[in-house]
Amino acid sequence: MTAVSAAGFSVATLFRMDMPGGDSPASEGGAVTDIAVRALGPRRDSVKAARDFAADTLARWGAAQLSDDLSLVVSELVTNALCHGVAGGPGGGDDPGAGTVGHPVQLALLRKGMRVMCAVQDPGEGLPAPRDPGDGAETGRGLHIVECFSSSWGWFPLTGVAGRTGKVVWAMFRIPGQ
């Protein structure tokens, strides 16, 4: 098992998920084989750092064929976390990190069997909900993209988890050809 946990992401949190359609990491036989976690600061360049981390991690795991789809979803989830889950995030004000310190957003990748899950944790209380952005809108399509490119997605609040606030938004992928 490979674990990179500089961010302090609670890996046990990943197993709280009850995903539809048998996509739960606990529902697939065998042990978790790989976990990688990356802490992200409240800056615009964190989105690129998250994509690069995801692509590099998938290459190390021999699942590079997922790189395009998973990197796109990671971009959307991290952007949403920064814009909606972090006060003063890149979506508001001149200073993208105003009012925040440290690494408020964390990306975790978990591989078990033929599945890879990405999970983005942020301190925000707002819950993710797909919107109908309408024609010509430049924003509001992120969760639709997540839904289209992953096999399933969801979220859960971190209330009741010791020392944690906010939520985790996750997306599940099946490794093709395996």
Side-chain angles (χ1 to χ4, degrees):
M1 173 189 213
T2 303
V4 179
S5 189
F9 194 99
S10 175
V11 174
T13 302
L14 301 175
F15 292 98
R16 294 185 61 215
M17 292 183 277
D18 183 19
M19 296 183 228
D23 271 348
S24 170
S27 71
E28 189 161 309
V32 171
T33 55
D34 294 292
I35 299 169
V37 180
R38 171 77 186 257
L40 301 165
R43 299 176 307 277
R44 285 180 180 88
D45 64 348
S46 289
V47 177
K48 181 181 182 322
R51 276 194 315 265
D52 292 347
F53 173 76
D56 292 347
T57 299
L58 290 173
R60 274 196 329 273
W61 291 351
Q65 63 271 43
L66 276 181
S67 189
D68 290 343
D69 290 354
L70 192 133
S71 292
L72 178 61
V73 168
V74 162
S75 290
E76 295 298 335
L77 294 181
V78 171
T79 297
N80 283 351
L82 293 172
C83 290
H84 305 293
V86 177
D94 291 332
D95 181 3
T100 58
V101 295
H103 296 91
V105 175
Q106 298 176 63
L107 166 64
L109 299 173
L110 174 124
R111 183 175 68 129
K112 183 173 186 179
M114 295 172 25
R115 298 187 188 272
V116 173
M117 180 189 61
C118 68
V120 176
Q121 175 183 316
D122 71 60
E125 298 297 323
L127 304 178
R131 297 188 290 166
D132 182 11
D135 293 338
E138 293 184 17
T139 62
R141 292 179 175 81
L143 291 176
H144 293 289
I145 290 171
V146 171
E147 186 170 2
C148 288
F149 284 87
S150 64
S151 59
S152 60
W153 75 277
W155 62 273
F156 59 89
L158 291 174
T159 54
V161 178
R164 305 261 179 211
T165 60
K167 65 189 165 297
V168 173
V169 183
W170 55 265
M172 184 68 69
F173 298 83
R174 179 170 289 281
I175 300 171
Q178 291 193 10

